[in-house]
Amino acid sequence: MPLVEESTLPADPPLTVPLVVIGNGPSGICLSYMLSGYRPYISPDAMHPNPILNSKLEEARHLSIVEQDLEYLSEGLEGRSSNPVAVLFDTLLHPDADFGYDYPSVLQWKLEQQHYIPHLVLGKGPPGGAWHAMEGSILTLSLGDWMELPGLKFKEWIAGKRRNIKSDRATPEEIASYYKQYVKVMGLQRNFVENTYITSVTKLCRNQEDDQPEIPPPQTLQIDPEAESESLIKRNWEVCGYQRAADGSHLPFCLFAESVALATGTFDSPARLDVEGEDLPFVYHSLNEFEVAISKGKLCGNTDHVLVVGAGLTAADAVLCAYNNKLPVMHVFRRNANDSNLIFKQLPKNLYPEYHKVYHMMCTQSYTTATHLHSTYISYPEHCVLSLMPDKKCMLQGASGLKILKICAALILIGSHPNLFFLKEQGRSIGHIPNQPISCKGNPVHINPYTYEATKEPNLFALGPLVGDNFIRFLKGGALGITRCLEVRQNKKKLLNVEREDVDGIA
C-alpha cells in the first residue's frame, strides 16, 4: 500500500528522497507547506509601509518571493530575530507589528505544483510537535496572528471551534489541534510520517554511495517520477530509526537523502541546575508536572512558597499558574531585574500584559522590599540555588550571603536543550561555538543566514529554535530560505542534466 494511506516507511529496499525533515512541529509543517509548491507573491494592490522595502518589492512584483534575492530584500531591515530572512518574512506577513500596528499581510499564496520538492517529515507524534505535549496546560497563550501558519487564519479556524469567540486567548490544546488540522487542510499528509524515532543520521562517504541498492519505484511515496530521477538525487545522508506500530512493536527503517533539515525544536531535554536534591519528588522540571500536582491536590492548602527558578516565559507561566491557584511564590533568577537581555524587554506590553505583570512584580516585589516572608510573591534577583533538601528547604546564594528558606515545591524552569544524539558527536561540530552542545540561546546551529544551511556541514539545514528563532512568527523565514536554496539547486541540476543530454545527442 502507498505511504500516503498507510503512513509507514519502507524497510527494504531503502527509499531515496531529496529531503528528509526531522521534526513535525510548526517549523517542519511550514517547510513542508512551501516545499509542496505553495508560493508567496505580493498581493496585486498591496503596499508595504516600509517605503524602501516596498520599492524593492515593486521591482519584481511578478515573481514569487522564493524566486527573488533574499539578501537584497532583507538588507536594512531590523527585528527581533538575528536571522535576516526571518525578519524579512515576518515583516511581509505582519508589517510593522513590533510598532503595535495590525496591518494586513502584503502576501498572497498560490499553489504551483510544478515546484513541489519531494520530502518526508518525520515526527514522534502527530503534526504539531511539542505542542501536543502541552495539551493539558491550564494556562493560555496569546491568540494573535503570530501563532498561525501561512494560508490558514487562526482566528477564522478557532471561530468554528468555539462557542464563545470573545476571548483573545488560546490554550496549547487549541494550538496543537490547529497545527494538526493545518496539515490536512493544506493537503500535506503524504509528506508526514508519525510515530517515527530517529536513531542515527550519518553522512555517507563516496565509496558507501556506490554500494547502495537501487532506488525503489517512485510509487512507494507517490511522488512525481521525474522528480525522483536518480540523476537528480545524491545519497548524501543515511537516516535510520524505527516506527512504532499500533501494537507497540518497532519497525526499523532506513532512508537515503540528498539533504536533511533539522526542525526538532529545543524542548527535548529540560536544563538542570545540577545541584544537590534536584531529583527529590517535590522538584519539577516542567510546567506540566506542576499542573498535574496541583490537579491531584498535592499542593492544596500549603502556606509555604512555591520556588520558581528562571527568568523566561515558562517561569513566568509558572508564576501565573501558582498565582491563579492561590499558591505563594518565591521567584529566584540570576539576572538583575533591569537586565536588558530579559525576554520581557522584547515583548510589547499591549500584546503580552500577563507577562509584563510578572515582570513588574519581579522589579517591585523583591525580598528587600517585601514586608514579610508571607507575601504572595517575593522575587530574589541575582540569586542562585545551591541545594534542595529533603525537608523541603532550599539554600540560596546572593550578594548578601546565604539564605535557607522553607518551600512546598520547586520548579526548575531555566530552559531546555535539543536532543541531537542521532548526529555525530550530538551535533557539537555545527554550532557557533565548536565542540559545545547546541542550545538555542548560547550556541545555536551556525547557518548561512540566507539559505539556513549549516556552514560546517553541507546539505544539512536547520530552522526554528535550533537557529535561535523561538517565536513561531520568525521560524517561517527558515522555511523560505531552505525552499529557495533547494529550488535553486534543483534547477541547476536539471539544467546540467539537459546540457549533458544535448552533448550526448551531438556525440
PDB file of all heavy atoms in Angstrom, residues 10-44:
ATOM      1  N   PRO A  10       9.059   2.307   4.218  1.00  0.00           N
ATOM      2  CA  PRO A  10       9.579   1.055   3.673  1.00  0.00           C
ATOM      3  C   PRO A  10      10.880   0.668   4.358  1.00  0.00           C
ATOM      4  O   PRO A  10      11.719   1.508   4.631  1.00  0.00           O
ATOM      5  CB  PRO A  10       9.812   1.390   2.195  1.00  0.00           C
ATOM      6  CG  PRO A  10      10.028   2.870   2.167  1.00  0.00           C
ATOM      7  CD  PRO A  10       9.161   3.428   3.262  1.00  0.00           C
ATOM      8  N   ALA A  11      11.022  -0.596   4.672  1.00  0.00           N
ATOM      9  CA  ALA A  11      12.242  -1.062   5.329  1.00  0.00           C
ATOM     10  C   ALA A  11      13.258  -1.578   4.319  1.00  0.00           C
ATOM     11  O   ALA A  11      14.456  -1.489   4.522  1.00  0.00           O
ATOM     12  CB  ALA A  11      11.901  -2.153   6.335  1.00  0.00           C
ATOM     13  N   ASP A  12      12.775  -2.120   3.200  1.00  0.00           N
ATOM     14  CA  ASP A  12      13.688  -2.718   2.230  1.00  0.00           C
ATOM     15  C   ASP A  12      13.016  -2.743   0.859  1.00  0.00           C
ATOM     16  O   ASP A  12      11.904  -3.252   0.727  1.00  0.00           O
ATOM     17  CB  ASP A  12      14.044  -4.142   2.683  1.00  0.00           C
ATOM     18  CG  ASP A  12      15.113  -4.771   1.787  1.00  0.00           C
ATOM     19  OD1 ASP A  12      16.040  -4.032   1.402  1.00  0.00           O
ATOM     20  OD2 ASP A  12      14.993  -5.967   1.497  1.00  0.00           O
ATOM     21  N   PRO A  13      13.614  -2.195  -0.182  1.00  0.00           N
ATOM     22  CA  PRO A  13      14.913  -1.510  -0.159  1.00  0.00           C
ATOM     23  C   PRO A  13      14.766  -0.085   0.363  1.00  0.00           C
ATOM     24  O   PRO A  13      13.659   0.448   0.390  1.00  0.00           O
ATOM     25  CB  PRO A  13      15.307  -1.504  -1.638  1.00  0.00           C
ATOM     26  CG  PRO A  13      13.999  -1.468  -2.365  1.00  0.00           C
ATOM     27  CD  PRO A  13      13.047  -2.285  -1.536  1.00  0.00           C
ATOM     28  N   PRO A  14      15.871   0.552   0.750  1.00  0.00           N
ATOM     29  CA  PRO A  14      15.792   1.909   1.291  1.00  0.00           C
ATOM     30  C   PRO A  14      15.264   2.902   0.269  1.00  0.00           C
ATOM     31  O   PRO A  14      15.590   2.834  -0.912  1.00  0.00           O
ATOM     32  CB  PRO A  14      17.252   2.221   1.662  1.00  0.00           C
ATOM     33  CG  PRO A  14      17.908   0.888   1.820  1.00  0.00           C
ATOM     34  CD  PRO A  14      17.238   0.003   0.818  1.00  0.00           C
ATOM     35  N   LEU A  15      14.454   3.816   0.753  1.00  0.00           N
ATOM     36  CA  LEU A  15      13.894   4.871  -0.081  1.00  0.00           C
ATOM     37  C   LEU A  15      14.893   6.017  -0.180  1.00  0.00           C
ATOM     38  O   LEU A  15      15.612   6.306   0.775  1.00  0.00           O
ATOM     39  CB  LEU A  15      12.592   5.368   0.550  1.00  0.00           C
ATOM     40  CG  LEU A  15      11.820   6.473  -0.160  1.00  0.00           C
ATOM     41  CD1 LEU A  15      11.252   5.949  -1.471  1.00  0.00           C
ATOM     42  CD2 LEU A  15      10.703   6.973   0.746  1.00  0.00           C
ATOM     43  N   THR A  16      14.951   6.664  -1.331  1.00  0.00           N
ATOM     44  CA  THR A  16      15.824   7.818  -1.522  1.00  0.00           C
ATOM     45  C   THR A  16      14.976   9.026  -1.874  1.00  0.00           C
ATOM     46  O   THR A  16      14.181   8.987  -2.811  1.00  0.00           O
ATOM     47  CB  THR A  16      16.846   7.567  -2.644  1.00  0.00           C
ATOM     48  OG1 THR A  16      17.603   6.397  -2.330  1.00  0.00           O
ATOM     49  CG2 THR A  16      17.797   8.747  -2.782  1.00  0.00           C
ATOM     50  N   VAL A  17      15.118  10.107  -1.106  1.00  0.00           N
ATOM     51  CA  VAL A  17      14.348  11.322  -1.329  1.00  0.00           C
ATOM     52  C   VAL A  17      15.276  12.536  -1.306  1.00  0.00           C
ATOM     53  O   VAL A  17      16.353  12.491  -0.714  1.00  0.00           O
ATOM     54  CB  VAL A  17      13.242  11.503  -0.263  1.00  0.00           C
ATOM     55  CG1 VAL A  17      12.159  10.474  -0.424  1.00  0.00           C
ATOM     56  CG2 VAL A  17      13.834  11.445   1.136  1.00  0.00           C
ATOM     57  N   PRO A  18      14.864  13.621  -1.961  1.00  0.00           N
ATOM     58  CA  PRO A  18      15.698  14.823  -1.941  1.00  0.00           C
ATOM     59  C   PRO A  18      15.906  15.402  -0.547  1.00  0.00           C
ATOM     60  O   PRO A  18      16.981  15.912  -0.241  1.00  0.00           O
ATOM     61  CB  PRO A  18      14.922  15.806  -2.836  1.00  0.00           C
ATOM     62  CG  PRO A  18      14.124  14.931  -3.741  1.00  0.00           C
ATOM     63  CD  PRO A  18      13.732  13.752  -2.896  1.00  0.00           C
ATOM     64  N   LEU A  19      14.867  15.331   0.313  1.00  0.00           N
ATOM     65  CA  LEU A  19      14.979  15.956   1.629  1.00  0.00           C
ATOM     66  C   LEU A  19      14.216  15.164   2.673  1.00  0.00           C
ATOM     67  O   LEU A  19      13.064  14.776   2.457  1.00  0.00           O
ATOM     68  CB  LEU A  19      14.425  17.388   1.590  1.00  0.00           C
ATOM     69  CG  LEU A  19      14.447  18.153   2.917  1.00  0.00           C
ATOM     70  CD1 LEU A  19      15.876  18.505   3.314  1.00  0.00           C
ATOM     71  CD2 LEU A  19      13.593  19.416   2.841  1.00  0.00           C
ATOM     72  N   VAL A  20      14.851  14.950   3.816  1.00  0.00           N
ATOM     73  CA  VAL A  20      14.190  14.404   4.995  1.00  0.00           C
ATOM     74  C   VAL A  20      14.175  15.494   6.056  1.00  0.00           C
ATOM     75  O   VAL A  20      15.224  16.068   6.386  1.00  0.00           O
ATOM     76  CB  VAL A  20      14.910  13.152   5.535  1.00  0.00           C
ATOM     77  CG1 VAL A  20      14.358  12.769   6.908  1.00  0.00           C
ATOM     78  CG2 VAL A  20      14.741  11.989   4.572  1.00  0.00           C
ATOM     79  N   VAL A  21      12.994  15.807   6.577  1.00  0.00           N
ATOM     80  CA  VAL A  21      12.831  16.804   7.631  1.00  0.00           C
ATOM     81  C   VAL A  21      12.616  16.069   8.942  1.00  0.00           C
ATOM     82  O   VAL A  21      11.691  15.261   9.063  1.00  0.00           O
ATOM     83  CB  VAL A  21      11.631  17.730   7.345  1.00  0.00           C
ATOM     84  CG1 VAL A  21      11.517  18.806   8.425  1.00  0.00           C
ATOM     85  CG2 VAL A  21      11.760  18.364   5.964  1.00  0.00           C
ATOM     86  N   ILE A  22      13.455  16.335   9.924  1.00  0.00           N
ATOM     87  CA  ILE A  22      13.348  15.684  11.228  1.00  0.00           C
ATOM     88  C   ILE A  22      12.670  16.644  12.190  1.00  0.00           C
ATOM     89  O   ILE A  22      13.232  17.661  12.577  1.00  0.00           O
ATOM     90  CB  ILE A  22      14.729  15.267  11.745  1.00  0.00           C
ATOM     91  CG1 ILE A  22      15.391  14.306  10.761  1.00  0.00           C
ATOM     92  CG2 ILE A  22      14.617  14.616  13.118  1.00  0.00           C
ATOM     93  CD1 ILE A  22      16.795  13.910  11.135  1.00  0.00           C
ATOM     94  N   GLY A  23      11.438  16.328  12.543  1.00  0.00           N
ATOM     95  CA  GLY A  23      10.639  17.177  13.415  1.00  0.00           C
ATOM     96  C   GLY A  23       9.390  17.663  12.704  1.00  0.00           C
ATOM     97  O   GLY A  23       9.482  18.206  11.598  1.00  0.00           O
ATOM     98  N   ASN A  24       8.216  17.457  13.313  1.00  0.00           N
ATOM     99  CA  ASN A  24       6.969  17.829  12.659  1.00  0.00           C
ATOM    100  C   ASN A  24       6.189  18.881  13.437  1.00  0.00           C
ATOM    101  O   ASN A  24       4.968  18.923  13.405  1.00  0.00           O
ATOM    102  CB  ASN A  24       6.093  16.600  12.407  1.00  0.00           C
ATOM    103  CG  ASN A  24       5.617  15.939  13.698  1.00  0.00           C
ATOM    104  OD1 ASN A  24       6.022  16.326  14.800  1.00  0.00           O
ATOM    105  ND2 ASN A  24       4.761  14.939  13.574  1.00  0.00           N
ATOM    106  N   GLY A  25       6.914  19.753  14.127  1.00  0.00           N
ATOM    107  CA  GLY A  25       6.297  20.894  14.772  1.00  0.00           C
ATOM    108  C   GLY A  25       6.047  22.009  13.762  1.00  0.00           C
ATOM    109  O   GLY A  25       6.097  21.788  12.543  1.00  0.00           O
ATOM    110  N   PRO A  26       5.775  23.228  14.227  1.00  0.00           N
ATOM    111  CA  PRO A  26       5.488  24.333  13.309  1.00  0.00           C
ATOM    112  C   PRO A  26       6.578  24.562  12.264  1.00  0.00           C
ATOM    113  O   PRO A  26       6.268  24.885  11.110  1.00  0.00           O
ATOM    114  CB  PRO A  26       5.366  25.542  14.245  1.00  0.00           C
ATOM    115  CG  PRO A  26       5.006  24.965  15.564  1.00  0.00           C
ATOM    116  CD  PRO A  26       5.652  23.621  15.632  1.00  0.00           C
ATOM    117  N   SER A  27       7.850  24.385  12.636  1.00  0.00           N
ATOM    118  CA  SER A  27       8.937  24.581  11.673  1.00  0.00           C
ATOM    119  C   SER A  27       8.846  23.580  10.528  1.00  0.00           C
ATOM    120  O   SER A  27       8.908  23.948   9.352  1.00  0.00           O
ATOM    121  CB  SER A  27      10.300  24.444  12.368  1.00  0.00           C
ATOM    122  OG  SER A  27      10.482  25.432  13.347  1.00  0.00           O
ATOM    123  N   GLY A  28       8.698  22.294  10.876  1.00  0.00           N
ATOM    124  CA  GLY A  28       8.608  21.259   9.856  1.00  0.00           C
ATOM    125  C   GLY A  28       7.362  21.388   9.006  1.00  0.00           C
ATOM    126  O   GLY A  28       7.383  21.151   7.797  1.00  0.00           O
ATOM    127  N   ILE A  29       6.250  21.789   9.636  1.00  0.00           N
ATOM    128  CA  ILE A  29       4.996  21.948   8.894  1.00  0.00           C
ATOM    129  C   ILE A  29       5.114  23.076   7.878  1.00  0.00           C
ATOM    130  O   ILE A  29       4.729  22.938   6.713  1.00  0.00           O
ATOM    131  CB  ILE A  29       3.828  22.216   9.863  1.00  0.00           C
ATOM    132  CG1 ILE A  29       3.587  21.000  10.766  1.00  0.00           C
ATOM    133  CG2 ILE A  29       2.559  22.545   9.092  1.00  0.00           C
ATOM    134  CD1 ILE A  29       2.587  21.259  11.877  1.00  0.00           C
ATOM    135  N   CYS A  30       5.640  24.211   8.317  1.00  0.00           N
ATOM    136  CA  CYS A  30       5.768  25.359   7.418  1.00  0.00           C
ATOM    137  C   CYS A  30       6.720  25.059   6.272  1.00  0.00           C
ATOM    138  O   CYS A  30       6.475  25.454   5.120  1.00  0.00           O
ATOM    139  CB  CYS A  30       6.249  26.581   8.201  1.00  0.00           C
ATOM    140  SG  CYS A  30       6.153  28.127   7.290  1.00  0.00           S
ATOM    141  N   LEU A  31       7.806  24.341   6.544  1.00  0.00           N
ATOM    142  CA  LEU A  31       8.742  23.963   5.488  1.00  0.00           C
ATOM    143  C   LEU A  31       8.057  23.052   4.479  1.00  0.00           C
ATOM    144  O   LEU A  31       8.215  23.224   3.259  1.00  0.00           O
ATOM    145  CB  LEU A  31       9.969  23.278   6.100  1.00  0.00           C
ATOM    146  CG  LEU A  31      11.036  22.794   5.120  1.00  0.00           C
ATOM    147  CD1 LEU A  31      11.529  23.926   4.217  1.00  0.00           C
ATOM    148  CD2 LEU A  31      12.207  22.169   5.880  1.00  0.00           C
ATOM    149  N   SER A  32       7.275  22.085   4.953  1.00  0.00           N
ATOM    150  CA  SER A  32       6.564  21.190   4.048  1.00  0.00           C
ATOM    151  C   SER A  32       5.570  21.958   3.187  1.00  0.00           C
ATOM    152  O   SER A  32       5.391  21.662   2.000  1.00  0.00           O
ATOM    153  CB  SER A  32       5.835  20.108   4.849  1.00  0.00           C
ATOM    154  OG  SER A  32       5.123  19.239   4.006  1.00  0.00           O
ATOM    155  N   TYR A  33       4.922  22.945   3.765  1.00  0.00           N
ATOM    156  CA  TYR A  33       3.949  23.782   3.037  1.00  0.00           C
ATOM    157  C   TYR A  33       4.617  24.434   1.826  1.00  0.00           C
ATOM    158  O   TYR A  33       4.085  24.399   0.709  1.00  0.00           O
ATOM    159  CB  TYR A  33       3.399  24.829   4.001  1.00  0.00           C
ATOM    160  CG  TYR A  33       2.466  25.848   3.380  1.00  0.00           C
ATOM    161  CD1 TYR A  33       1.150  25.532   3.083  1.00  0.00           C
ATOM    162  CD2 TYR A  33       2.904  27.145   3.130  1.00  0.00           C
ATOM    163  CE1 TYR A  33       0.280  26.473   2.536  1.00  0.00           C
ATOM    164  CE2 TYR A  33       2.047  28.095   2.587  1.00  0.00           C
ATOM    165  CZ  TYR A  33       0.737  27.752   2.293  1.00  0.00           C
ATOM    166  OH  TYR A  33      -0.102  28.702   1.748  1.00  0.00           O
ATOM    167  N   MET A  34       5.794  24.999   2.042  1.00  0.00           N
ATOM    168  CA  MET A  34       6.457  25.705   0.947  1.00  0.00           C
ATOM    169  C   MET A  34       7.106  24.740  -0.040  1.00  0.00           C
ATOM    170  O   MET A  34       7.106  24.977  -1.253  1.00  0.00           O
ATOM    171  CB  MET A  34       7.480  26.692   1.510  1.00  0.00           C
ATOM    172  CG  MET A  34       6.845  27.756   2.382  1.00  0.00           C
ATOM    173  SD  MET A  34       7.929  29.156   2.742  1.00  0.00           S
ATOM    174  CE  MET A  34       8.020  29.913   1.126  1.00  0.00           C
ATOM    175  N   LEU A  35       7.619  23.627   0.452  1.00  0.00           N
ATOM    176  CA  LEU A  35       8.195  22.623  -0.447  1.00  0.00           C
ATOM    177  C   LEU A  35       7.114  21.958  -1.300  1.00  0.00           C
ATOM    178  O   LEU A  35       7.419  21.398  -2.357  1.00  0.00           O
ATOM    179  CB  LEU A  35       8.929  21.555   0.358  1.00  0.00           C
ATOM    180  CG  LEU A  35      10.200  21.988   1.097  1.00  0.00           C
ATOM    181  CD1 LEU A  35      10.709  20.847   1.968  1.00  0.00           C
ATOM    182  CD2 LEU A  35      11.277  22.444   0.121  1.00  0.00           C
ATOM    183  N   SER A  36       5.870  22.016  -0.847  1.00  0.00           N
ATOM    184  CA  SER A  36       4.770  21.407  -1.592  1.00  0.00           C
ATOM    185  C   SER A  36       4.280  22.267  -2.742  1.00  0.00           C
ATOM    186  O   SER A  36       3.332  21.897  -3.438  1.00  0.00           O
ATOM    187  CB  SER A  36       3.613  21.094  -0.639  1.00  0.00           C
ATOM    188  OG  SER A  36       4.013  20.121   0.322  1.00  0.00           O
ATOM    189  N   GLY A  37       4.906  23.412  -2.945  1.00  0.00           N
ATOM    190  CA  GLY A  37       4.569  24.249  -4.088  1.00  0.00           C
ATOM    191  C   GLY A  37       3.781  25.496  -3.778  1.00  0.00           C
ATOM    192  O   GLY A  37       3.433  26.251  -4.689  1.00  0.00           O
ATOM    193  N   TYR A  38       3.485  25.755  -2.509  1.00  0.00           N
ATOM    194  CA  TYR A  38       2.804  26.997  -2.149  1.00  0.00           C
ATOM    195  C   TYR A  38       3.797  28.150  -2.224  1.00  0.00           C
ATOM    196  O   TYR A  38       4.844  28.120  -1.589  1.00  0.00           O
ATOM    197  CB  TYR A  38       2.208  26.900  -0.746  1.00  0.00           C
ATOM    198  CG  TYR A  38       0.994  26.015  -0.666  1.00  0.00           C
ATOM    199  CD1 TYR A  38       1.112  24.670  -0.316  1.00  0.00           C
ATOM    200  CD2 TYR A  38      -0.274  26.523  -0.949  1.00  0.00           C
ATOM    201  CE1 TYR A  38      -0.005  23.848  -0.244  1.00  0.00           C
ATOM    202  CE2 TYR A  38      -1.399  25.709  -0.874  1.00  0.00           C
ATOM    203  CZ  TYR A  38      -1.259  24.378  -0.520  1.00  0.00           C
ATOM    204  OH  TYR A  38      -2.375  23.570  -0.449  1.00  0.00           O
ATOM    205  N   ARG A  39       3.466  29.159  -3.020  1.00  0.00           N
ATOM    206  CA  ARG A  39       4.385  30.258  -3.291  1.00  0.00           C
ATOM    207  C   ARG A  39       3.796  31.595  -2.847  1.00  0.00           C
ATOM    208  O   ARG A  39       2.643  31.913  -3.145  1.00  0.00           O
ATOM    209  CB  ARG A  39       4.702  30.332  -4.789  1.00  0.00           C
ATOM    210  CG  ARG A  39       5.590  29.211  -5.294  1.00  0.00           C
ATOM    211  CD  ARG A  39       6.996  29.390  -4.711  1.00  0.00           C
ATOM    212  NE  ARG A  39       7.912  28.359  -5.143  1.00  0.00           N
ATOM    213  CZ  ARG A  39       8.153  27.241  -4.469  1.00  0.00           C
ATOM    214  NH1 ARG A  39       7.501  27.007  -3.352  1.00  0.00           N
ATOM    215  NH2 ARG A  39       9.030  26.371  -4.908  1.00  0.00           N
ATOM    216  N   PRO A  40       4.599  32.402  -2.126  1.00  0.00           N
ATOM    217  CA  PRO A  40       4.127  33.730  -1.709  1.00  0.00           C
ATOM    218  C   PRO A  40       4.423  34.787  -2.772  1.00  0.00           C
ATOM    219  O   PRO A  40       5.558  34.927  -3.243  1.00  0.00           O
ATOM    220  CB  PRO A  40       4.955  33.988  -0.440  1.00  0.00           C
ATOM    221  CG  PRO A  40       6.237  33.236  -0.665  1.00  0.00           C
ATOM    222  CD  PRO A  40       5.903  32.047  -1.537  1.00  0.00           C
ATOM    223  N   TYR A  41       3.394  35.509  -3.153  1.00  0.00           N
ATOM    224  CA  TYR A  41       3.515  36.641  -4.066  1.00  0.00           C
ATOM    225  C   TYR A  41       3.036  37.903  -3.363  1.00  0.00           C
ATOM    226  O   TYR A  41       2.248  37.840  -2.411  1.00  0.00           O
ATOM    227  CB  TYR A  41       2.656  36.425  -5.313  1.00  0.00           C
ATOM    228  CG  TYR A  41       3.179  35.409  -6.291  1.00  0.00           C
ATOM    229  CD1 TYR A  41       2.917  34.038  -6.103  1.00  0.00           C
ATOM    230  CD2 TYR A  41       3.918  35.786  -7.409  1.00  0.00           C
ATOM    231  CE1 TYR A  41       3.391  33.094  -7.012  1.00  0.00           C
ATOM    232  CE2 TYR A  41       4.383  34.846  -8.325  1.00  0.00           C
ATOM    233  CZ  TYR A  41       4.112  33.509  -8.121  1.00  0.00           C
ATOM    234  OH  TYR A  41       4.580  32.569  -9.011  1.00  0.00           O
ATOM    235  N   ILE A  42       3.479  39.054  -3.856  1.00  0.00           N
ATOM    236  CA  ILE A  42       2.941  40.306  -3.354  1.00  0.00           C
ATOM    237  C   ILE A  42       1.524  40.478  -3.903  1.00  0.00           C
ATOM    238  O   ILE A  42       1.300  40.354  -5.108  1.00  0.00           O
ATOM    239  CB  ILE A  42       3.833  41.491  -3.773  1.00  0.00           C
ATOM    240  CG1 ILE A  42       5.246  41.310  -3.210  1.00  0.00           C
ATOM    241  CG2 ILE A  42       3.240  42.803  -3.297  1.00  0.00           C
ATOM    242  CD1 ILE A  42       5.303  41.217  -1.701  1.00  0.00           C
ATOM    243  N   SER A  43       0.573  40.751  -3.029  1.00  0.00           N
ATOM    244  CA  SER A  43      -0.806  40.939  -3.452  1.00  0.00           C
ATOM    245  C   SER A  43      -0.906  42.097  -4.451  1.00  0.00           C
ATOM    246  O   SER A  43      -0.162  43.083  -4.331  1.00  0.00           O
ATOM    247  CB  SER A  43      -1.700  41.225  -2.239  1.00  0.00           C
ATOM    248  OG  SER A  43      -1.669  40.139  -1.339  1.00  0.00           O
ATOM    249  N   PRO A  44      -1.809  42.006  -5.422  1.00  0.00           N
ATOM    250  CA  PRO A  44      -1.886  42.995  -6.500  1.00  0.00           C
ATOM    251  C   PRO A  44      -1.976  44.442  -6.027  1.00  0.00           C
ATOM    252  O   PRO A  44      -1.318  45.317  -6.580  1.00  0.00           O
ATOM    253  CB  PRO A  44      -3.153  42.580  -7.262  1.00  0.00           C
ATOM    254  CG  PRO A  44      -3.294  41.121  -6.977  1.00  0.00           C
ATOM    255  CD  PRO A  44      -2.793  40.917  -5.597  1.00  0.00           C
TER     256      PRO A  44
END
